Amino acid sequence: MRRKTKKLLFNSMGLILLLMFMVNITILVSGVVISDTVTLSPLGEEIIPLKIHNGDEVLISVEMSSGEIYVEIYESAAYPSMSYYEEDWGPVSSTLSAYFEPTWTDTFYIVFYNANTMSSASFTYTINHDQAYQTNLIINLAIAGVLLGIILVVNFTGKKNPNISS
């Protein structure tokens, strides 16, 4: 009896330590940063698809070297036709620093568009996506850990019938 109690105690402590380790790792996960320097030809565009969750914040920073561009954000349903945009800024000719925070989870397309028909536009952009959905990840890992713990406890504490031979 004493041996089963020690075994159960060690299994429980190991499970608790594993769950604490997983929670600490998921807290350390940071957001996504996309950065690039682009030269768009006349009527050219640069498109960045980004899965954004409800409550996430996206910071878009643009610094122009030459020309001017428009920055637009489309949801996945409106993207191919580009008939409806969620946000737009422009024309940007020097710098832009803008926030976007959607109220639903979707794939959004960030489009940098050079509307000029004669000259190119050069710029550097940085997209900083702070992810708030990590809380859901922690909850899911905790639930999975609890279920795993229940399975282990039931498996190790189950009584064996001495009359059954293998």
Side-chain angles (χ1 to χ4, degrees), residues 131-151:
Q131 300 171 340
Y133 76 95
Q134 295 167 0
T135 305
N136 294 337
L137 179 64
I138 293 169
I139 291 169
N140 291 339
L141 287 174
I143 290 171
V146 167
L147 291 175
L148 178 64
I150 290 171
I151 291 169

